[in-house]
Amino acid sequence: MSNVYLEKMCEIVKARNPHEEEFLQAVTEVIESLEPVFARYPEFEEANILERIIEPERQIIFRVSWVDDQGKVRVNRGYRVQYNSAIGPYKGGIRFHPSVNLSIVKFLGFSQVFKNALTGLPLGGGKGGADFDPKGKSEMEIMRFCQSFMTELYRHLGPDTDVPAGDIGVGAREVGYLFGQYKRICNEFTGVLTGKGLSYGGSLVRKEATGFGLVYFVNEALKAINKSFDQATVVISGSGNVATYACQKAQELGAKVVAMSDSNGYIYDPNGINLDTIKEIKEVKRQRIKEYAQIHKDARYYEGSRGIWQVPCHIALPCATQNEIYEEDAKALIKNGCYCVGEGANMPTTPSAIKLLLEHGVLVAPGKAANAGGVATSGLEMTQNSQRLPWSAEEVDSRLRAIMCNIYKDCAAAIDEYGLGSLVEAANIVGFVKVARAMLEQGVI
Ligand code: NDP
């Protein structure tokens, strides 16, 4: 990097946030994209916008005590990082997973700020979660945990302040319990969470939105290289919310999805994944993906989730978690003829893997842009809640599709405007410039 200010920012962020590996990874990737921006807009440096954008506006860490089915008192740690409100109320999901820590919540919150800006909707960025493991917990334990979590969090939320949604380990069931507790404490029915059930203010197509949006975005990017999902072989990691609906839309567009995974292992089905079986196993029975191979006799189950990248494919859609594609995995994808990696998850590809993929001409659709359909549709849910009017599935889906096409257009335009080499840099730049301009106009706050 030749820009002294940007180099200094890298040093400051490392000194100020030691040991926060994921956070530093996310911030460094953005800073490294910004040279052309700071060359063009000296006012951003004069107002020290970058140092301000890197520092979250507010970080809340709290105790979550709850009682398990044996009557034993358990304690977890809850987080909400209200990252940036320059263009709208804080918005971003809540993750329940044993790996959750401040570094992970901050990396997710930081990325969310730019992603939300890319949607074109008035949404600031935030993220939250807890180191709680929902696996193996009873329905009542999940409910008690959610209620305890919200009993602290509610005071920091509001439909014009901070509007959380789901993420890993937080789906419609958890959002329901969180919403119920918020309503009980505040005695008000507002759109303070998104991803709600359809009977109490949720939006049609929100459940499908991140996966559908990913495929809409990748489809636009593929057109530019004269490819499409039609007849393509696709591998999708994960089998949760994002993976399931990415699979559905890819199949609708003519792709053959041959592999999916969970954190224990992956299944390979040479006949193409039967999505009804996946939904039954994961959404209804909440079982492990290995059950799939019991039902479909041609399919095989392999222990270990990373092996999925050895399966030959044209398009890889990582939809599980951060840092799931390493350099070795990228090498295998390249060797097997993969021409596109579309990130449904947040930061699923390590920096060295991204570098390698780009060097080999693989199209990389970065998560900030490609998985923005979830939060965009959450924005549409907020609009419907404010209007007190639900929209049809067709209306929400057509708006989602338009938003994803616009994000692609904005990123492609930035590639031309700044002479960039990839959509990765473009997404960082488009999101950053929008938030930076708003901060500049609002003065030093
Ligand atoms: P879910 O909890 O619904 O599904 C997560 C899936 O990924 C599960 O199959 C899970 O397997 C697997 N997984 C989770 N952690 C790991 C791990 N450490 N190693 C391997 N596999 C793992 O989450 P979502 O589908 O909602 O989220 C997936 C990704 O998409 C995340 O990165 C999230 O931040 C991102 N995202 C989600 C959005 C949304 O609207 N939900 C919006 C934008 C991005 P197992 O069941 O074994 O844990």
Side-chain angles (χ1 to χ4, degrees), residues 166-189:
D167 190 79
I168 291 177
V170 178
R173 173 181 64 171
E174 291 75 16
V175 168
Y177 294 144
L178 292 165
F179 179 80
Q181 185 72 350
Y182 181 89
K183 183 167 62 64
R184 174 159 76 163
I185 295 172
C186 297
N187 193 29
E188 59 182 37
F189 192 110

Side-chain angles (χ1 to χ4, degrees), residues 177-381:
Y177 294 144
L178 292 165
F179 179 80
Q181 185 72 350
Y182 181 89
K183 183 167 62 64
R184 174 159 76 163
I185 295 172
C186 297
N187 193 29
E188 59 182 37
F189 192 110
T190 56
V192 76
L193 282 141
T194 57
K196 299 185 292 295
L198 296 176
S199 59
Y200 61 94
S203 172
L204 287 161
V205 193
R206 173 59 188 92
K207 180 174 72 168
E208 296 85 353
T210 310
F212 280 18
L214 167 67
V215 174
Y216 293 151
F217 183 91
V218 171
N219 199 38
E220 287 306 298
L222 287 173
K223 281 184 199 161
I225 56 166
N226 288 320
K227 306 267 191 212
S228 79
F229 275 98
D230 193 25
Q231 313 281 325
T233 301
V234 177
V235 160
I236 303 179
S237 66
S239 47
N241 175 265
V242 181
T244 299
Y245 294 96
C247 180
Q248 181 169 323
K249 189 52 75 178
Q251 288 179 340
E252 280 172 25
L253 296 187
K256 184 174 183 185
V257 180
V258 293
M260 291 180 81
S261 62
D262 61 21
S263 55
N264 294 110
Y266 71 95
I267 44 146
Y268 171 72
D269 188 340
N271 304 323
I273 296 285
N274 182 317
L275 197 58
D276 289 338
T277 308
I278 294 283
K279 286 182 182 172
E280 179 71 15
I281 293 173
K282 301 303 283 191
E283 291 182 352
V284 181
K285 297 186 174 155
R286 296 182 187 271
Q287 290 173 332
R288 309 307 298 158
I289 203 158
K290 118 199 227 184
E291 299 302 323
Y292 184 97
Q294 304 294 326
I295 298 164
H296 297 278
K297 291 301 171 201
D298 289 344
R300 289 198 58 187
Y301 172 74
Y302 300 86
E303 275 297 323
S305 49
R306 260 182 78 194
I308 196 168
W309 308 121
Q310 305 291 330
V311 176
C313 66
H314 301 116
I315 300 169
L317 302 177
C319 295
T321 191
Q322 65 274 0
N323 292 334
E324 41 168 328
I325 298 184
Y326 288 83
E327 219 175 310
E328 289 70 29
D329 309 313
K331 277 185 195 152
L333 288 167
I334 293 162
K335 185 171 130 266
N336 289 329
C338 170
Y339 51 70
C340 173
V341 173
E343 297 184 332
N346 286 307
M347 208 168 74
T349 321
T350 65
S352 57
I354 291 189
K355 190 164 170 276
L356 197 71
L357 291 166
L358 293 175
E359 279 167 6
H360 284 80
V362 177
L363 172 69
V364 178
K368 269 188 210 87
N371 71 32
V375 74
T377 309
S378 279
L380 302 179
E381 182 173 330

